[in-house]
Each structure stands twice: as structure tokens, then as C-alpha cells.
Amino acid sequence: MPLFVVTPLAATFLIMIVGRFVKDFNKYYTSLTLLFLVIISFSCLFNIGENVDVYKVGGWQPINKIPIGIYMVMDGFSAIVVCIINLIGFLVAIYSISYIKRYTSENYFYALFCLMIAGMNGVVLSGDLFNIFVFLEISVISAYSLVAFGVEKNELEASFKYQVLGSIASFLILFGIGFIYWKTKTLNIADIREAFKTGYDKSFYLFVQLLILSGFGLKAAIMPFHAWLPDAHSSAPSPISAMLSGVFIKAVGIYVIIRLFFNMFVITESMAILITTLGTLSMVIGVFLAIGQWDIKRLLAYHSISQMGYVMLSIGIGMILISRGVKQEVAALAIAGGIFHLINHAAFKGLLFLNAGAIEYTIGTRNLKEMGGLAKSMPATSATSFVASMSISGIPPFNGFFSKLIIIVAAITAKFYLLAALAVIVSIITLASFLKFQRYAFYDKSDEDKRPEAKEVPYPMIFSMIVLSIVCLLLSLLAVPVVRDAVLTPAINILMDPLKYSSQIIGL
Amino acid sequence: MIAYILCFILFLVGLYGAVTQRNLVKIAISLSVMEFSTFLFFALLGYIDGGVAPIVNPAEPARIYVDPLPQALVLTAIVIGLATTALLMAVIIRLYRKYGTFDIREMKNLRG
């Protein structure tokens, strides 16, 4: 398990040193590293099952059942997220081989990219609160610099905005960690859970939860904290936008929120309602902001906010039901829908940003009004972006349909009819805005004569896009009960039964 | 208790600066103030009145020691804060070269 952090971290330094002397070392080494990580992450996913795997950094054994070392924990849920990170990371690395030629200093790009992967893997696998913060900062600092990679006016401005808000988020998180340490005198998530179980001060508890939620909510761009996301995601180089939007906001934002609120805090109803409300707000407002955009990457970035709203919404419904202690199977269904949508969003939003990058690579603009008629000259891009657009708007048989269906069914059976209706309406508006994207980018014939120079992008880029679109189709299989039991159910069980998580880790 | 309140006031001073200042460098300084109030809070967490540095000498009788863990956390956080500040200043210098000013009101390419 430590390989997930060590390999990309080693790659960072190797690229900086060896890449200086050996030409093309950086791109192939990055791809190889990530291919290796993809293989071991999938083998972990299929082997982990219901178990919880603990690695104690430095071999510090617990004394009297009190954990003193830093724990790294792999369970069903983190295995899924690690798989997403490394799979999307691998495809993006392949894509970058051609794309990043436009920029100078490729070494820095690949080094920062590996650093970001290392940080995200660390966040997801960490079982220690402060360790989460450290890995979060590693990945966030490399994300800041990757956003500013173009060093033009827009990139720098976006990066500055992101850094200011990101730093404030980090301080809030640090304050929250400090308060938790003050009360519980431990930093291990499972151990904190044991301390909270025995009783807690109501107002203190609420304060800490709000600090943690707003800190990680800022990193995940939940609605009132979303201001940095469209700028940062549209200014970054396209492969990095795919990483940031497809994986980054989930790994350091949503994943940590879910993990801490289910496995560390005792779920309270007021917090659950707050999370549901925030999710609904970002789902609705995100899509309305998206529909008026003419810059493709900004449009996609606003849709990220909206789709993250879906995940938060269904997780919140699950939390409400758990805190009320009723209809546990519906709660499980809602959480399944949330996790499923999280996986799907990584696949199709990553693909959409890669498509946007391919369009920008070929015709050099991101403005939808200046495009049109690209369907003939770029068949692969057009076909894959069609798959992704249909997935995100929830058209069967693509994956987005099934996860949205599960979320809506869970909302209806839990008697949240308003939320279910809103989810359907937002899905229709999403479809409308992606039809606009398809029409203006690929099918509008008026401009066709003007673009004899438009031609298909190089093969590595096509390869990544096609693999991702196949992944989009294959993920529909997760709705099949047999596959769902193998992949999603362990993750749901670990979230639904927090005592299992903490007792297994403390017991080891 | 008074130390905790002062630490919180320091955090609010930093937040006020980050929100109201229009100069990029002053925003960076405000962020640093916030950062250091957080570090101060951590240092206070581990402090025990009359405690000494936790270097255990078996020959001596047991004494009150301060909690060493927050100190370790603060050291880590300071290093991280250094990296963040350095990167922020690098971006500010680049922005100054592009715009010729530190005024944040002049930089509004990204809207909507």
C-alpha cells in the first residue's frame, strides 16, 4: 500500500534529475509509473472485499491498543477512489505526451503531475487526520502551480484566486484539526471515533463539524465556496483540467467529507440536513450558471459544481436516514448512488475536458461561437464527446443514467419528492446545455468551409479519449447486482457501519 | 484563556485584511497573519502550565511535561506554510510583470 505514495513521489524527483539529461524520459516514465499504479490499484480493489487493510508507517505498533504511529488505511471505499485517481491519471499522462508539447519546460509539468498524484493517493489512503492535511497540501500546492502553468494573465489571476481561497480553507481545516486534538488527544480517525462515541459537548461538536465542512467544502467547490473553480479549471492546461475536475475535487474534497462525516463524527441530523441543502444548492445553481457560458471549459467547470451537487445530495439523504434510524436499506441505496455518480463523473468529466483540450489543440480557441463543423474533420473527438455528453446528461445506456436513476429512486423512496423533482429538472437542463455544446462545436455547418486546416489530433490523445469513452460504457455494468456487490457494497458497508471501521483499525 | 482569545483575534485580523485589502502583497501578508494565528493556537494546545520540555531522564523524578505532539505538528505546518507563501509570492511577482501594478482591481479578466 505505501507504493501508492512512494512510487509517484520517487518519479517526481527522478524526472527532475534524470529528465534533465535524458530526452523524453519524463513522459514515458510518468506513463509507466501510472500504469504500474493502475495495475496494483485494481488488484487491491478486487482483493480487498470487506477487509480493512492497515499499514503502520515506520512500524510503530500500538501500545495498550492506543495507536501512536501514522496509519494508512485501505478499505472498500478508498480502493475505489484510488482506482479512479490512477486510471484517470494514467490516461491523462498518455494524453499529455502530445498535448503538452505546446508548453516549455515539460519536466516541471510531469514532476508536478506526479507530485499531485502522490498527494491525492496519500489523502485517500491516510487514516490520520493531520496526515490528511499534509498530503492535501502537497497535492494542492502542485495544483496551484499547474493552474498557473501557462503564465499568462488569466492563468496567473486564476491561480492567485485559487491560492487565496485554498489557503483560507487550509487554515480552517487546521483549526478544526486543532480543536479535535484538543478534545480527544489523538489524531487517528478510528481512535477519534472511539473518543466521540462516549459523549461530546454539543456546541463544540457543531463548531468543529462546521470548520471541517467549510474547509473541505472550499476544496470541493460546494456551492457557497465555488468561486475559484471555474477560473482555475478553465485556465489550467486541458489534461490538468481533466485531473482537477475529474479527480482532484473528489479526492481532496468529497472523499474526505464523506470519510470524516461517516467514519469519524457521529452523524447528527442537523449536519445531514445542511449537507443535503448545500448539495441541492450547488446542483441547481451550478447548472444555471453553466448554461449561459460560451467558453467550453468554463461550461464544463460549472457542470462539475452541479454534478458534485448530485453526489452531496444523495450522500446527505443517506445521512438523514441514518441519523433518524429509519429505512437503512434506502440509506444504503442513496449512498450507493452517490458513490456510483462520483465514479461516473470522474470518467465522463475527464473525457469532456480531454475533448475540450483536443478542440483547443486543433483550432486554438475555446469559444463555442467560433467553432462548428468539426464533426467531419475530427471524428474520434466528436464521437467520444458525444458519449460523454450523453453520459453526463443521463441518457441510457450510458453510465450517468444509472447513477442518476439510483439517486432519484432513493430520493423518492425516502419521501424527498422535491429533491427528486429538482434532480430530474437539473438533469434536463444539463442535457440542454450539452446539446448546445454538441451543436455549436461539431454540427453547425455554416463554418465548415472556413476550416480546411482542422484535422484529427495525434494518436496518444485519441487513445486516451477512446479508452475513457469505453470506460464510460463499461461503468454502466456497476448497476448490475453481481458487479455492484463486488465493488460498491464493501464501500457502502464500511460507511454504514462506522463501528466496524474503527474497531477493525484499533483491533489490529 | 486570554491567550486563546488573542489568538482568535489575530485570526480575525488576518481574515479582515485578506478580505478588504486591494494590494496583492498585503493580501499575502494577511494570509500569513492568519497562518501564524493557527500555529499559535497549536502551540497553545500543547502548553501545560509549569511544564518542561519532554526530554525524559529516568534518573530524575517524574515531572510535568508539555505535550510534544502539537509542536511537531506546528513544525510540519510551518514548512508547508513556507511553500505556500513562496508560491504565492512567485505568482504575485509574475502578475506584477504582466500588469505593472499590485492593485487587484486592475485584474479582472475572469468574470462570470
Side-chain angles (χ1 to χ4, degrees), chain A residues 261-304:
Chain A
F261 276 89
F262 278 88
N263 287 146
M264 193 174 83
F265 296 117
V266 179
I267 297 169
T268 52
E269 192 174 348
S270 52
M271 230 40 218
I273 290 174
L274 181 63
I275 287 182
T276 318
T277 319
L278 291 181
T280 318
L281 270 179
S282 36
M283 183 175 85
V284 175
I285 300 176
V287 81
F288 276 112
L289 288 172
I291 198 158
Q293 298 296 329
W294 286 98
D295 179 335
I296 0 171
K297 285 172 81 175
R298 280 186 95 80
L299 185 140
L300 296 177
Y302 276 115
H303 274 295
S304 287

Side-chain angles (χ1 to χ4, degrees), chain B residues 27-38:
Chain B
I27 292 177
I29 293 172
S30 309
L31 287 175
S32 290
V33 171
M34 281 171 81
E35 195 179 326
F36 280 93
S37 78
T38 321

Side-chain angles (χ1 to χ4, degrees), chain A residues 242-255:
Chain A
M243 255 344 250
L244 287 177
S245 211
V247 182
F248 190 75
I249 54 173
K250 300 183 184 65
V252 308
I254 304 276
Y255 169 83

Side-chain angles (χ1 to χ4, degrees), chain A residues 390-402:
Chain A
M390 292 303 106
S391 298
I392 195 173
S393 1
I395 304 291
F398 299 105
N399 54 1
F401 170 74
F402 295 102

Side-chain angles (χ1 to χ4, degrees), chain A residues 171-197:
Chain A
F171 304 146
L172 291 176
I173 294 167
L174 204 53
F175 251 113
I177 294 172
F179 276 106
I180 291 173
Y181 180 75
W182 188 17
K183 282 283 177 188
T184 61
K185 295 289 171 207
T186 175
L187 287 168
N188 189 298
I189 292 178
D191 208 22
I192 292 171
R193 173 71 188 203
E194 298 286 310
F196 279 151
K197 200 172 59 182

